């Protein structure tokens, strides 16, 4: 079960899960989004994701997930609008997934689990000059969460899936260029939930404005299976561990309000 997977994670990858509770942490992520308790906010704007595929640089296995990294030294790939007051630069995207299609996402909607969740990570380039600075600040990061569900093959994702065998082990990196991260957004980007939370991996800093899309994207069973062929372990380690269940357990809401851009 997902519970078993989460318990396994805690036992086998204590570092990965980070401390269960961050001292004084009252805005941790992920959370369950209780739809009927979310509050419609008519002030929430359209999301404006303007990504330049030529800023895509590499794909690598960092031992937690696989990351597609973008050149974030200019404002070529940006996110504006939505709940955001400032302009944010895309720096990387990655996924979280399960060992089975029954679970894998970090956020849930009325407790519904998805087989995987995409995170597009951006930092506030109006206020800070580096991701490393922004990650420590309240309004430093904006992460778009997109749920993946099993269905038809996602043609845009396939280029990424084809690159995964080359980065099976922790620490491996290959060049990966001209990828438009926008192709991974759902058709409907009007409808989302937003709340203030944290990174879901150490340092778990509470610097994230989360934007969780209501509409999931569809990927094929086989495409998801390739995610599970990645390894947590490096080539040198004698015992290889499949990279699965790389999600954090859900965190208390602590009185936070989740706003919705739709009623
Ligand atoms: C910056 C960062 C690091 C890890 N994860 O999971 C995130 O979603 C964002
Ligand atoms: Zn993430």
């Amino acid at each position: 079960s997902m519970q078993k997977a989460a318990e396994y994670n805690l036992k086998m990858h204590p570092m990965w899960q980070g401390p269960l509770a961050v001292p004084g942490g009252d805005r941790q992520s992920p959370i369950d989004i209780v739809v009927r308790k979310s509050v419609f906010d008519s002030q929430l704007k359209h999301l404006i994701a303007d990504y330049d595929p030529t800023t895509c640089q590499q794909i690598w296995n960092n031992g937690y997930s696989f990351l597609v990294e973008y050149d974030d030294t200019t404002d070529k790939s940006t996110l504006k609008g939505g709940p955001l007051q400032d302009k944010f630069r895309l720096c990387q995207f990655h996924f979280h997934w399960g060992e089975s299609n029954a679970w894998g996402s970090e956020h849930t909607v009325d407790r519904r689990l998805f087989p995987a969740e995409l995170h597009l990570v951006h930092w506030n380039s109006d206020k800070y000059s580096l991701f490393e600075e922004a990650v420590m600040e309240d309004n430093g990061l904006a992460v778009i969460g997109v749920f993946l569900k099993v269905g038809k093959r996602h043609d845009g994702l396939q280029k990424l899936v084809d690159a995964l065998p080359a980065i099976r082990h922790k620490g491996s990196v290959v060049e990966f260029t001209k990828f438009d991260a926008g192709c991974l957004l759902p058709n409907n980007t009007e409808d989302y939930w937003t709340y203030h939370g944290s990174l879901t991996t150490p340092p778990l800093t509470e610097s994230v404005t989360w934007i969780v899309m209501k509409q999931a994207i569809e990927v094929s069973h086989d495409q998801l299976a390739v995610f599970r062929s990645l390894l947590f372990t490096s080539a040198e380690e004698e015992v290889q561990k499949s990279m699965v269940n790389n999600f954090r357990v859900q965190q208390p809401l602590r009185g936070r309000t989740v706003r919705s851009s739709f009623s």
Side-chain angles (χ1 to χ4, degrees):
S1 73
M2 189 275 257
Q3 189 51 42
K4 280 269 167 285
E7 283 162 12
Y8 172 85
N9 258 342
L10 224 48
K11 185 159 57 73
M12 296 302 284
H13 308 278
M15 172 57 200
W16 195 89
Q17 285 291 325
L20 249 183
V22 177
D26 55 3
R27 38 173 288 197
Q28 288 290 291
S29 294
I31 60 168
D32 175 47
I33 295 167
V34 182
V35 176
R36 72 191 179 293
K37 289 191 179 164
S38 62
V39 177
F40 170 60
D41 180 350
S42 58
Q43 305 284 309
L44 288 170
K45 297 179 177 51
H46 298 278
L47 277 173
I48 303 166
D50 183 6
Y51 299 147
D52 176 346
T54 67
T55 57
C56 189
Q57 291 183 320
Q58 60 194 19
I59 186 170
W60 69 293
N61 177 332
N62 72 348
Y64 293 137
S65 180
F66 63 90
L67 305 187
V68 174
E69 292 193 318
Y70 284 75
D71 165 22
D72 62 355
T73 56
T74 73
D75 270 339
K76 275 188 176 176
S77 289
T78 58
L79 174 66
K80 302 193 302 274
L84 306 172
Q85 306 308 323
D86 296 323
K87 184 191 311 154
F88 287 69
R89 266 184 211 166
L90 175 67
C91 60
Q92 52 106 330
F93 68 79
H94 63 273
F95 297 80
H96 303 264
W97 60 91
E99 67 193 278
S100 91
N101 288 337
W103 64 79
S105 61
E106 298 213 300
H107 292 89
T108 50
V109 179
D110 289 343
R111 293 285 169 207
R112 176 183 176 189
L113 289 151
F114 291 83
E117 183 174 333
L118 159 66
H119 287 161
L120 292 144
V121 181
H122 314 74
W123 56 273
N124 187 329
S125 59
D126 280 347
K127 291 207 161 50
Y128 310 106
S129 46
L130 284 174
F131 168 83
E132 287 71 19
E133 273 175 52
V135 74
M136 306 310 288
E137 306 296 333
D138 270 11
N139 59 359
L141 302 185
V143 182
I144 296 179
V146 181
F147 294 118
L148 275 64
K149 66 180 186 181
V150 179
K152 64 180 186 309
R153 175 191 141 111
H154 192 297
D155 293 337
L157 186 75
Q158 194 54 37
K159 180 181 174 186
L160 198 150
V161 166
D162 290 338
L164 297 186
I167 56 163
R168 275 195 84 208
H169 289 101
K170 173 180 176 182
S172 38
V173 54
V174 291
E175 187 186 50
F176 192 73
T177 57
K178 292 188 286 304
F179 185 83
D180 173 17
C183 84
L184 297 176
L185 292 172
N187 299 330
N188 172 3
T189 57
E190 305 271 296
D191 296 351
Y192 58 85
W193 294 282
T194 183
Y195 77 99
H196 290 291
S198 73
L199 298 189
T200 61
T201 58
L204 302 171
T205 41
E206 299 180 337
S207 54
V208 182
T209 297
W210 279 96
I211 300 166
V212 180
M213 307 313 293
K214 184 179 87 173
Q215 186 181 44
I217 59 169
E218 281 189 39
V219 303
S220 72
H221 177 280
D222 290 356
Q223 287 178 315
L224 267 180
V226 181
F227 284 23
R228 301 185 188 105
S229 70
L230 292 173
L231 300 168
F232 277 127
T233 44
S234 59
E236 295 71 41
E237 294 176 65
E238 40 299 350
V239 180
Q240 299 294 333
K241 297 192 192 89
S242 292
M243 182 180 275
V244 292
N245 303 323
N246 56 357
F247 53 83
R248 189 189 190 198
V249 294
Q250 300 210 320
Q251 303 298 310
L253 194 56
R254 289 271 187 278
R256 285 173 284 179
T257 297
V258 176
R259 290 180 290 159
S260 65
S261 66
F262 60 98
S263 55

